[in-house]
mmCIF file of all heavy atoms in Angstrom:
data_model
loop_
_atom_site.group_PDB
_atom_site.id
_atom_site.type_symbol
_atom_site.label_atom_id
_atom_site.label_comp_id
_atom_site.label_asym_id
_atom_site.label_seq_id
_atom_site.Cartn_x
_atom_site.Cartn_y
_atom_site.Cartn_z
ATOM 1 N N VAL A 20 -19.993 13.521 -2.063
ATOM 2 C CA VAL A 20 -21.292 13.791 -1.365
ATOM 3 C C VAL A 20 -21.979 15.066 -1.932
ATOM 4 O O VAL A 20 -23.024 14.949 -2.501
ATOM 5 C CB VAL A 20 -21.040 13.940 0.144
ATOM 6 C CG1 VAL A 20 -22.357 14.294 0.873
ATOM 7 C CG2 VAL A 20 -20.394 12.730 0.731
ATOM 8 N N ILE A 21 -21.350 16.187 -1.803
ATOM 9 C CA ILE A 21 -21.995 17.450 -2.130
ATOM 10 C C ILE A 21 -22.522 17.470 -3.583
ATOM 11 O O ILE A 21 -23.670 17.833 -3.825
ATOM 12 C CB ILE A 21 -21.039 18.657 -1.912
ATOM 13 C CG1 ILE A 21 -20.526 18.685 -0.475
ATOM 14 C CG2 ILE A 21 -21.741 19.963 -2.319
ATOM 15 C CD1 ILE A 21 -21.578 18.784 0.583
ATOM 16 N N GLN A 22 -21.676 17.071 -4.509
ATOM 17 C CA GLN A 22 -22.048 17.128 -5.916
ATOM 18 C C GLN A 22 -23.181 16.148 -6.261
ATOM 19 O O GLN A 22 -23.898 16.317 -7.271
ATOM 20 C CB GLN A 22 -20.842 16.871 -6.817
ATOM 21 C CG GLN A 22 -19.863 18.032 -6.780
ATOM 22 C CD GLN A 22 -18.620 17.752 -7.622
ATOM 23 O OE1 GLN A 22 -18.482 16.744 -8.268
ATOM 24 N NE2 GLN A 22 -17.654 18.709 -7.565
ATOM 25 N N LEU A 23 -23.404 15.133 -5.454
ATOM 26 C CA LEU A 23 -24.470 14.139 -5.674
ATOM 27 C C LEU A 23 -25.818 14.605 -5.127
ATOM 28 O O LEU A 23 -26.835 14.013 -5.391
ATOM 29 C CB LEU A 23 -24.095 12.803 -5.101
ATOM 30 C CG LEU A 23 -22.794 12.196 -5.684
ATOM 31 C CD1 LEU A 23 -22.463 10.903 -4.977
ATOM 32 C CD2 LEU A 23 -22.916 11.974 -7.187
ATOM 33 N N LYS A 24 -25.801 15.672 -4.322
ATOM 34 C CA LYS A 24 -27.030 16.295 -3.781
ATOM 35 C C LYS A 24 -27.942 15.304 -3.060
ATOM 36 O O LYS A 24 -29.128 15.305 -3.278
ATOM 37 C CB LYS A 24 -27.781 17.030 -4.906
ATOM 38 C CG LYS A 24 -27.012 18.148 -5.541
ATOM 39 C CD LYS A 24 -27.817 18.842 -6.600
ATOM 40 C CE LYS A 24 -27.223 20.038 -7.282
ATOM 41 N NZ LYS A 24 -25.816 20.303 -7.210
ATOM 42 N N PRO A 25 -27.400 14.521 -2.131
ATOM 43 C CA PRO A 25 -28.300 13.659 -1.355
ATOM 44 C C PRO A 25 -29.129 14.452 -0.346
ATOM 45 O O PRO A 25 -28.775 15.622 -0.023
ATOM 46 C CB PRO A 25 -27.335 12.755 -0.606
ATOM 47 C CG PRO A 25 -26.135 13.617 -0.406
ATOM 48 C CD PRO A 25 -26.030 14.463 -1.649
ATOM 49 N N LYS A 26 -30.209 13.870 0.159
ATOM 50 C CA LYS A 26 -30.978 14.560 1.198
ATOM 51 C C LYS A 26 -30.287 14.417 2.519
ATOM 52 O O LYS A 26 -30.398 15.304 3.396
ATOM 53 C CB LYS A 26 -32.372 13.932 1.268
ATOM 54 C CG LYS A 26 -33.271 14.217 0.059
ATOM 55 C CD LYS A 26 -34.603 13.602 0.215
ATOM 56 C CE LYS A 26 -35.422 13.834 -1.036
ATOM 57 N NZ LYS A 26 -36.701 13.130 -0.986
ATOM 58 N N VAL A 27 -29.573 13.294 2.719
ATOM 59 C CA VAL A 27 -28.901 12.975 4.007
ATOM 60 C C VAL A 27 -27.529 12.385 3.723
ATOM 61 O O VAL A 27 -27.382 11.635 2.749
ATOM 62 C CB VAL A 27 -29.731 11.953 4.824
ATOM 63 C CG1 VAL A 27 -29.021 11.537 6.113
ATOM 64 C CG2 VAL A 27 -31.125 12.421 5.095
ATOM 65 N N VAL A 28 -26.596 12.707 4.554
ATOM 66 C CA VAL A 28 -25.302 12.023 4.555
ATOM 67 C C VAL A 28 -25.057 11.342 5.914
ATOM 68 O O VAL A 28 -25.331 11.962 6.978
ATOM 69 C CB VAL A 28 -24.128 12.980 4.190
ATOM 70 C CG1 VAL A 28 -23.949 14.116 5.242
ATOM 71 C CG2 VAL A 28 -22.832 12.192 4.047
ATOM 72 N N VAL A 29 -24.654 10.101 5.901
ATOM 73 C CA VAL A 29 -24.291 9.374 7.097
ATOM 74 C C VAL A 29 -22.756 9.385 7.182
ATOM 75 O O VAL A 29 -22.101 8.856 6.260
ATOM 76 C CB VAL A 29 -24.844 7.930 7.059
ATOM 77 C CG1 VAL A 29 -24.375 7.159 8.310
ATOM 78 C CG2 VAL A 29 -26.382 7.942 6.955
ATOM 79 N N ILE A 30 -22.220 9.951 8.244
ATOM 80 C CA ILE A 30 -20.788 10.049 8.414
ATOM 81 C C ILE A 30 -20.312 9.142 9.502
ATOM 82 O O ILE A 30 -20.638 9.343 10.674
ATOM 83 C CB ILE A 30 -20.356 11.513 8.674
ATOM 84 C CG1 ILE A 30 -20.809 12.438 7.545
ATOM 85 C CG2 ILE A 30 -18.840 11.578 8.886
ATOM 86 C CD1 ILE A 30 -20.574 13.927 7.806
ATOM 87 N N LEU A 31 -19.543 8.121 9.100
ATOM 88 C CA LEU A 31 -18.929 7.189 10.042
ATOM 89 C C LEU A 31 -17.454 7.222 9.727
ATOM 90 O O LEU A 31 -17.010 6.669 8.719
ATOM 91 C CB LEU A 31 -19.492 5.791 9.883
ATOM 92 C CG LEU A 31 -18.771 4.640 10.618
ATOM 93 C CD1 LEU A 31 -18.645 4.902 12.092
ATOM 94 C CD2 LEU A 31 -19.466 3.331 10.339
ATOM 95 N N ALA A 32 -16.661 7.872 10.560
ATOM 96 C CA ALA A 32 -15.271 8.118 10.252
ATOM 97 C C ALA A 32 -14.438 8.263 11.538
ATOM 98 O O ALA A 32 -14.979 8.704 12.552
ATOM 99 C CB ALA A 32 -15.096 9.349 9.366
ATOM 100 N N GLY A 33 -13.156 7.967 11.410
ATOM 101 C CA GLY A 33 -12.247 8.247 12.524
ATOM 102 C C GLY A 33 -11.395 7.088 12.963
ATOM 103 O O GLY A 33 -10.307 7.275 13.500
ATOM 104 N N ILE A 34 -11.855 5.854 12.714
ATOM 105 C CA ILE A 34 -11.088 4.707 13.246
ATOM 106 C C ILE A 34 -9.755 4.557 12.526
ATOM 107 O O ILE A 34 -8.762 4.230 13.162
ATOM 108 C CB ILE A 34 -11.948 3.405 13.219
ATOM 109 C CG1 ILE A 34 -11.311 2.333 14.148
ATOM 110 C CG2 ILE A 34 -12.098 2.862 11.817
ATOM 111 C CD1 ILE A 34 -11.300 2.688 15.578
ATOM 112 N N ASN A 35 -9.709 4.798 11.208
ATOM 113 C CA ASN A 35 -8.438 4.693 10.522
ATOM 114 C C ASN A 35 -7.455 5.779 11.002
ATOM 115 O O ASN A 35 -6.257 5.522 11.026
ATOM 116 C CB ASN A 35 -8.651 4.775 8.979
ATOM 117 C CG ASN A 35 -9.308 3.560 8.426
ATOM 118 O OD1 ASN A 35 -9.022 2.456 8.838
ATOM 119 N ND2 ASN A 35 -10.206 3.759 7.502
ATOM 120 N N ASP A 36 -8.004 6.922 11.354
ATOM 121 C CA ASP A 36 -7.144 7.977 11.902
ATOM 122 C C ASP A 36 -6.592 7.580 13.267
ATOM 123 O O ASP A 36 -5.402 7.812 13.555
ATOM 124 C CB ASP A 36 -7.932 9.283 12.017
ATOM 125 C CG ASP A 36 -8.442 9.781 10.684
ATOM 126 O OD1 ASP A 36 -7.689 9.663 9.684
ATOM 127 O OD2 ASP A 36 -9.572 10.262 10.610
ATOM 128 N N ILE A 37 -7.435 7.023 14.133
ATOM 129 C CA ILE A 37 -6.963 6.564 15.425
ATOM 130 C C ILE A 37 -5.939 5.471 15.274
ATOM 131 O O ILE A 37 -4.931 5.433 16.018
ATOM 132 C CB ILE A 37 -8.191 6.068 16.276
ATOM 133 C CG1 ILE A 37 -9.050 7.267 16.693
ATOM 134 C CG2 ILE A 37 -7.675 5.307 17.495
ATOM 135 C CD1 ILE A 37 -10.311 6.917 17.408
ATOM 136 N N ALA A 38 -6.093 4.614 14.248
ATOM 137 C CA ALA A 38 -5.120 3.529 13.995
ATOM 138 C C ALA A 38 -3.794 4.094 13.431
ATOM 139 O O ALA A 38 -2.816 3.356 13.376
ATOM 140 C CB ALA A 38 -5.682 2.552 13.032
ATOM 141 N N GLY A 39 -3.808 5.358 13.008
ATOM 142 C CA GLY A 39 -2.579 5.922 12.439
ATOM 143 C C GLY A 39 -2.291 5.400 11.044
ATOM 144 O O GLY A 39 -1.127 5.400 10.635
ATOM 145 N N ASN A 40 -3.328 5.003 10.322
ATOM 146 C CA ASN A 40 -3.095 4.411 8.983
ATOM 147 C C ASN A 40 -2.468 5.330 8.015
ATOM 148 O O ASN A 40 -1.768 4.886 7.091
ATOM 149 C CB ASN A 40 -4.427 3.915 8.401
ATOM 150 C CG ASN A 40 -4.929 2.680 9.156
ATOM 151 O OD1 ASN A 40 -4.279 2.123 10.031
ATOM 152 N ND2 ASN A 40 -6.130 2.233 8.770
ATOM 153 N N THR A 41 -2.639 6.630 8.167
ATOM 154 C CA THR A 41 -1.970 7.628 7.267
ATOM 155 C C THR A 41 -1.003 8.525 8.047
ATOM 156 O O THR A 41 -0.779 9.658 7.637
ATOM 157 C CB THR A 41 -3.020 8.469 6.526
ATOM 158 O OG1 THR A 41 -3.838 9.131 7.472
ATOM 159 C CG2 THR A 41 -3.881 7.608 5.624
ATOM 160 N N GLY A 42 -0.549 8.020 9.195
ATOM 161 C CA GLY A 42 0.328 8.808 10.047
ATOM 162 C C GLY A 42 -0.395 9.253 11.290
ATOM 163 O O GLY A 42 -1.628 9.109 11.390
ATOM 164 N N PRO A 43 0.328 9.757 12.238
ATOM 165 C CA PRO A 43 -0.293 10.159 13.503
ATOM 166 C C PRO A 43 -1.279 11.322 13.365
ATOM 167 O O PRO A 43 -1.003 12.249 12.584
ATOM 168 C CB PRO A 43 0.884 10.565 14.382
ATOM 169 C CG PRO A 43 2.134 10.414 13.599
ATOM 170 C CD PRO A 43 1.754 9.970 12.209
ATOM 171 N N GLU A 44 -2.397 11.240 14.068
ATOM 172 C CA GLU A 44 -3.351 12.331 14.069
ATOM 173 C C GLU A 44 -3.888 12.466 15.482
ATOM 174 O O GLU A 44 -4.130 11.473 16.164
ATOM 175 C CB GLU A 44 -4.546 12.008 13.180
ATOM 176 C CG GLU A 44 -4.331 12.364 11.692
ATOM 177 C CD GLU A 44 -5.601 12.423 10.910
ATOM 178 O OE1 GLU A 44 -6.394 13.369 11.085
ATOM 179 O OE2 GLU A 44 -5.805 11.514 10.112
ATOM 180 N N THR A 45 -4.081 13.686 15.909
ATOM 181 C CA THR A 45 -4.625 13.909 17.259
ATOM 182 C C THR A 45 -6.145 13.773 17.167
ATOM 183 O O THR A 45 -6.753 13.896 16.089
ATOM 184 C CB THR A 45 -4.278 15.314 17.781
ATOM 185 O OG1 THR A 45 -4.895 16.304 16.920
ATOM 186 C CG2 THR A 45 -2.776 15.536 17.803
#
Side-chain angles (χ1 to χ4, degrees):
V20 179
I21 303 302
Q22 290 177 3
L23 300 176
K24 298 180 177 17
K26 292 179 182 175
V27 177
V28 62
V29 177
I30 301 173
L31 170 56
I34 197 64
N35 288 321
D36 299 320
I37 290 174
N40 289 355
T41 57
E44 277 195 73
T45 65

